[in-house]
Amino acid sequence: MIRLGAGSPEAIAAVGAHCDDIAIGAGGTLLALCRARPGLRVDALVLSGGGTEREQEERAALAAFCPGADLRLTVLKLPDGRMPVHWDEAKAAVEELRGRADPDLILAPRADDAHQDHRGLAQLIPTAFRDHLVLGYEIVKWDGDLGRMAAYQPLSPEIAEEKVRLLQEHYPSQRHRPWYDREAFLGLARIRGIECHERYAEAFAVTKITLNLGG
């Protein structure tokens, strides 16, 4: 297993189509990054849920997932499940994010996600962020779209457990969903951990990466 570090990021961006996407897909990575680098700037963009209880959940959750960070969160009001027909608004939001942020790392949905909102947002990211490292997170769902991933962020047992606890605590509106439980989140983290010789991990798709091995 080859381990390549991204140095010490000064700023990251995290984007999601829905409230809870970022936390489910990359909550452990956010916890690890923010604990390791207090004051890290985190620009977060969520396309739907604005003005509802979902936005309130998201603001409390991301504050907990980004302890000590300079968190700047925008939650828009695009309708859930309709992003393809609101392409212009979504693209404008991504471009606005690019206008105010130049992150070292972007956490975003992966391009082959089966959900049309996730997939559409993933396709927009490289149109605005052309020279950035983008890690595409995964979200377990009934579609059965999990696949082979290219990058792994190991999670300590403490961080893995904290991620699950925060997901259960901050998103009560999702607890009724049959896949939204401790077993699903820790089970996937355990499988991804096995794949990178760790106890737990989050896994990411990488479309393009430029190396600087001799620098």
Side-chain angles (χ1 to χ4, degrees):
M1 177 66 66
I2 298 175
R3 295 178 180 264
L4 298 176
S8 298
E10 300 286 343
I12 67 173
V15 298
H18 316 102
C19 297
D20 79 16
D21 284 355
I22 296 170
I24 292 174
T29 297
L30 283 175
L31 281 168
L33 279 169
C34 294
R35 287 183 177 179
R37 193 169 184 82
L40 177 71
R41 174 166 170 168
V42 179
D43 285 279
L45 169 66
V46 179
L47 295 183
S48 64
T52 71
E53 66 171 347
R54 299 280 278 139
E55 178 178 357
Q56 298 172 14
E57 289 179 344
E58 186 75 340
R59 291 193 177 279
L62 288 190
F65 274 104
C66 301
D70 177 12
L71 175 63
R72 309 175 189 202
L73 171 61
T74 300
V75 183
L76 302 182
K77 299 180 179 181
L78 273 63
D80 186 355
R82 298 290 186 271
M83 205 216 80
V85 298
H86 292 269
W87 186 264
D88 288 345
E89 297 101 309
K91 183 173 178 60
V94 171
E95 290 175 345
E96 191 277 334
L97 174 63
R98 178 66 182 95
R100 61 182 166 84
D102 186 21
D104 303 303
L105 169 67
I106 301 170
L107 301 170
R110 56 193 179 90
D112 58 351
D113 193 296
H115 194 297
Q116 68 271 18
D117 290 356
H118 302 171
R119 188 171 61 251
L121 178 55
Q123 292 168 350
L124 281 173
I125 295 302
T127 69
F129 296 90
R130 296 182 176 274
D131 299 305
H132 296 75
L133 174 60
V134 180
L135 297 181
Y137 56 73
E138 58 184 347
I139 297 177
V140 64
K141 61 180 88 63
W142 71 271
D143 305 80
D145 62 353
L146 299 179
R148 179 172 293 180
M149 306 298 272
Y152 297 85
Q153 171 60 48
L155 305 178
S156 68
E158 175 196 3
I159 291 237
E161 291 282 358
E162 180 73 355
K163 173 184 176 177
V164 173
R165 185 187 71 78
L166 292 176
L167 285 172
Q168 295 286 10
E169 175 182 345
H170 288 290
Y171 296 104
S173 67
Q174 304 304 296
R175 292 174 188 158
H176 68 284
R177 298 186 182 277
W179 54 267
Y180 197 92
D181 59 31
R182 171 187 169 84
E183 289 180 310
F185 298 134
L186 269 187
L188 180 58
R190 179 69 185 110
I191 290 170
R192 296 314 191 190
I194 290 170
E195 293 173 352
C196 66
H197 296 168
E198 297 285 348
R199 182 66 184 174
Y200 298 108
E202 285 177 340
F204 301 91
V206 179
T207 302
K208 185 185 295 185
I209 183 170
T210 299
L211 304 177
N212 183 21
L213 300 181

